[in-house]
Amino acid sequence: MTNNLYDLSECSTFIITVPTPINNKKKPDFSYLIDASKKVGSILKVRDLVIFESTVYPGATEEICVPYLEKVSGLKYINSKNEKKIKNGFYCGYSPERINPGDKKHRLTNIKKIVSGSTKNTAQKIKLLYEKIIKAGVHKVSDIKTAEAAKVIENTQRDLNIAFVNELSVIFNKLDIDFNKKITNYEVWQQVIMQNFQSVKLLSIAILILEALYTMWTLNLIIQRNGTNQFLKKFDQEKTNPFIIY
């Protein structure tokens, strides 16, 4: 371990995992991510690999992080579209961290890892890297944006579960059913509740708000570019999705 950036100058693979909180305007604060990208960029070499794990909206790795890596390093970003043209550049990947805070059972090594890379070979290299420590398995997806979307989906699903359990707690306690003692213990929880809810407790409202705002930020990006109803109507026409109501 080191806190000296230049001790890492001989490394060829960098994994960036920094906080991405929400600022006072309820927008993602990417300052830590940008700062880390600049620092890694300052020691980046030809054919080096940078893997991001921080929570971001789909597209953020290539829209926010890559430009800073390019600017500071003076190198070009190599992806599947330009890999035959650019030889003296660097590669990127994204693999969302999936640790559940406070969960002593599901830890880094026994939670399946999702990985992606800027090229097919890069994705395979990242998969092999994580397989050295991940016992639960590593799943490779087609591109970086897909891996980023997987993180948003997982967080949103968790938040919906948390919100649902919070509502159940209020309802059942009003019915004189002690939710914490009778529902969440082995009397009911382990026997009849879906496995997805097994790690869901009445978690910090701060976590719920943080993840909800990231989901809203992702939706806002789409709305800004397309408009709400126009986007949904166009999507419905293209995908013939029967579940969209507008």
Side-chain angles (χ1 to χ4, degrees):
M1 295 181 66
T2 180
N3 62 358
N4 187 340
L5 177 65
Y6 293 97
D7 287 342
L8 305 178
S9 59
E10 297 301 315
C11 296
S12 59
T13 299
F14 304 87
I15 299 177
I16 296 178
T17 307
V18 294
T20 48
I22 299 296
N23 62 25
N24 56 9
K25 295 183 179 179
K26 298 182 179 180
K27 294 183 178 181
D29 177 2
F30 294 118
S31 60
Y32 298 104
L33 199 56
I34 291 171
D35 184 58
S37 298
K38 288 180 177 178
K39 287 179 177 176
V40 170
S42 70
I43 57 173
L44 206 59
K45 305 177 299 298
V46 172
R47 307 195 75 78
D48 277 358
L49 169 61
V50 185
I51 304 169
F52 293 91
E53 289 198 350
S54 302
T55 298
V56 293
Y57 67 86
T61 298
E62 293 177 305
E63 292 174 6
I64 294 176
C65 304
V66 166
Y68 285 101
L69 290 173
E70 287 186 318
K71 182 178 180 180
V72 177
S73 69
L75 301 173
K76 290 294 183 181
Y77 169 55
I78 302 176
N79 56 47
S80 57
K81 295 180 180 179
N82 65 16
E83 61 179 323
K84 293 183 179 180
K85 298 179 181 179
I86 299 176
K87 300 300 179 183
N88 297 324
F90 64 91
Y91 303 89
C92 281
Y94 182 80
S95 178
E97 61 84 13
R98 303 186 65 213
I99 295 176
N100 187 28
D103 189 338
K104 296 181 180 180
K105 180 180 179 181
H106 302 96
R107 309 300 294 170
L108 174 65
T109 58
N110 61 356
I111 298 176
K112 196 165 188 175
K113 202 85 166 81
I114 296 172
V115 299
S116 63
S118 54
T119 69
K120 288 184 178 180
N121 288 338
T122 303
Q124 182 61 23
K125 181 179 180 180
I126 295 172
K127 182 175 184 290
L128 294 174
L129 173 65
Y130 279 108
E131 282 179 338
K132 293 180 179 179
I133 60 170
I134 304 298
K135 298 177 181 179
V138 178
H139 178 68
K140 181 175 61 177
V141 298
S142 58
D143 53 63
I144 289 174
K145 190 176 286 189
T146 299
E148 293 168 327
K151 177 64 173 176
V152 171
I153 293 169
E154 183 172 36
N155 285 356
T156 304
Q157 180 193 34
R158 183 185 67 178
D159 296 341
L160 290 172
N161 289 348
I162 294 170
F164 177 57
V165 172
N166 287 346
E167 290 296 323
L168 289 180
S169 176
V170 173
I171 294 169
F172 288 152
N173 280 303
K174 287 185 178 295
L175 294 173
D176 293 325
I177 301 173
D178 192 319
F179 185 81
N180 290 333
K181 289 183 179 180
K182 293 190 175 183
I183 302 297
T184 61
N185 69 4
Y186 281 89
E187 183 175 351
V188 174
W189 197 260
Q190 299 292 339
Q191 305 301 319
V192 299
I193 304 297
M194 292 170 54
Q195 186 177 0
N196 285 353
F197 292 115
Q198 286 183 2
S199 63
V200 176
K201 305 293 183 182
L202 300 183
L203 298 183
S204 166
I205 192 66
I207 296 177
L208 185 63
I209 293 173
L210 175 67
E211 303 299 354
L213 286 172
Y214 256 93
T215 303
M216 289 170 61
W217 173 260
T218 304
L219 179 59
N220 283 336
L221 286 179
I222 298 173
I223 293 173
Q224 288 170 13
R225 295 169 182 171
N226 301 277
T228 310
N229 288 339
Q230 289 181 348
F231 165 71
L232 290 176
K233 288 179 180 178
K234 182 178 180 182
F235 182 85
D236 193 17
Q237 291 169 358
E238 291 177 352
K239 305 296 183 181
T240 60
N241 192 329
F243 299 106
I244 293 181
I245 301 174
Y246 48 83

